[in-house]
Amino acid sequence: MARRRIIAGNWKMNMTPSEAVELVNTLKPLVDNADVDVVYCVPAIDIVPVVEAVKGTNVAVGAENFYIEDKGAFTGEISAPMLLDAGVKYVIIGHSERRDYFKEDDAFLNKKVLKAFASGLTPILCCGESKEQRENGVTIDWIRLQIKSDLVGVTAEQVASMVIAYEPIWAIGTGLTATSDQAQEVCKAIRDLIAELYGTDTAEAVRIQYGGSMNAGNAAELLSKPDIDGGLIGGAALKPDFGKIVNA
Ligand code: PGA
């Protein structure tokens, strides 16, 4: 069975609520009728207006973060039931910025993955190596360790429904993109690991994205690779370029 492609924007800490609605409206004619899954992962405060703005279109909304408890004394946090009630379908987990700046480690990310599934959110689980790790030749070992740790206790059926994003840290927001061969090598290694852990049917079903300075110019080449099923797009998701990537 062919995997359906999935192109997701990760807006990060950009776009006020009114700017967000404007961006959705700008992108609307550009992503309309695309034969791929399109997702906007937006800041928490933009979720409600963006869900409203994409109504009746092919776009789903994702969150960039959430907390592992349903409710209670966790000042500043947002729970999975809140996201679901607002109309959110996907949630990014394990982005390198959250691992680095907010010190989210694999044990915590594993809890987030389990909580997302238990709640009915689809995780977009990120992994990726630093420049130093790539230079030292430990990229694949590192990615395997991250994914194995983050998926403890997750079932095959759950893995088949999720999205894994390979995002080399050295390529994020830097304008440096992994070559399509480098990206394919790691995305294939991820699929091989899933096959090892869960069997080939699960490995064939899970969707694996590349992320890291993907843009209108390089998307078609990256997406032509057999194990790259989509993209997680930062900077280029805030511009009409996103429409070109969706149609690449
Ligand atoms: P970028 O970000 O496209 O701006 O490199 C990708 C990401 O961080 O998801």
Side-chain angles (χ1 to χ4, degrees):
M1 205 186 75
R3 291 180 295 273
R4 189 169 165 81
R5 289 181 185 281
I6 176 162
I7 307 291
N10 173 13
W11 290 9
K12 310 195 179 183
M13 199 174 71
N14 297 293
M15 299 288 141
T16 64
S18 48
E19 288 168 345
V21 171
E22 207 174 301
L23 178 59
V24 169
N25 290 332
T26 304
L27 294 177
K28 214 170 261 178
L30 307 174
V31 304
D32 225 19
N33 301 319
D35 192 20
V36 297
D37 287 344
V38 179
V39 183
Y40 298 156
C41 297
V42 307
I45 198 163
D46 296 342
I47 286 170
V48 169
V50 168
V51 166
E52 187 58 34
V54 301
K55 260 195 190 131
T57 74
N58 55 333
V59 177
V61 177
E64 298 177 16
N65 188 31
F66 78 115
Y67 190 59
I68 54 174
E69 298 294 338
D70 282 347
K71 58 175 3 188
F74 303 99
T75 302
E77 293 298 324
I78 292 184
S79 71
M82 291 171 182
L83 295 178
L84 285 159
D85 188 65
V88 167
K89 301 257 186 299
Y90 294 86
V91 65
I92 298 175
I93 297 176
H95 192 281
S96 59
E97 287 150 19
R98 296 223 52 99
R99 291 177 187 263
D100 183 11
Y101 304 144
F102 302 99
K103 306 292 171 237
E104 296 190 5
D105 62 13
D106 287 309
F108 181 60
L109 296 172
N110 177 232
K111 288 186 184 153
K112 282 188 152 185
V113 171
L114 292 170
K115 184 68 189 179
F117 279 124
S119 308
L121 291 166
T122 300
I124 300 177
L125 175 65
C126 302
C127 58
E129 84 286 6
S130 65
K131 183 166 174 280
E132 197 179 26
Q133 287 170 321
R134 177 159 284 272
E135 285 167 359
N136 290 339
V138 299
T139 295
I140 304 284
D141 297 312
W142 176 248
I143 302 285
R144 285 174 58 94
L145 179 64
Q146 285 188 317
I147 294 187
K148 269 179 127 163
S149 310
D150 298 344
L151 293 184
V152 171
V154 177
T155 68
E157 197 186 3
Q158 289 170 332
V159 171
S161 73
M162 76 186 294
V163 180
I164 298 175
Y166 166 54
E167 298 205 309
I169 297 168
W170 49 271
I172 295 175
T174 56
L176 293 173
T177 313
T179 65
S180 57
D181 286 340
Q182 286 172 326
Q184 162 61 21
E185 184 195 14
V186 180
C187 291
K188 180 176 186 304
I190 294 171
R191 203 177 303 286
D192 289 346
L193 171 64
I194 299 298
E196 238 174 84
L197 298 172
Y198 294 99
T200 50
D201 285 358
T202 306
E204 282 307 310
V206 67
R207 294 187 289 178
I208 303 175
Q209 298 175 316
Y210 168 78
S213 299
M214 195 188 254
N215 59 44
N218 59 31
E221 164 72 16
L222 286 158
L223 294 169
S224 72
K225 294 295 178 181
D227 288 294
I228 304 179
D229 306 315
L232 183 57
I233 325 290
L238 304 172
K239 303 186 283 196
D241 258 34
F242 187 75
K244 296 199 186 117
I245 299 173
V246 165
N247 290 295

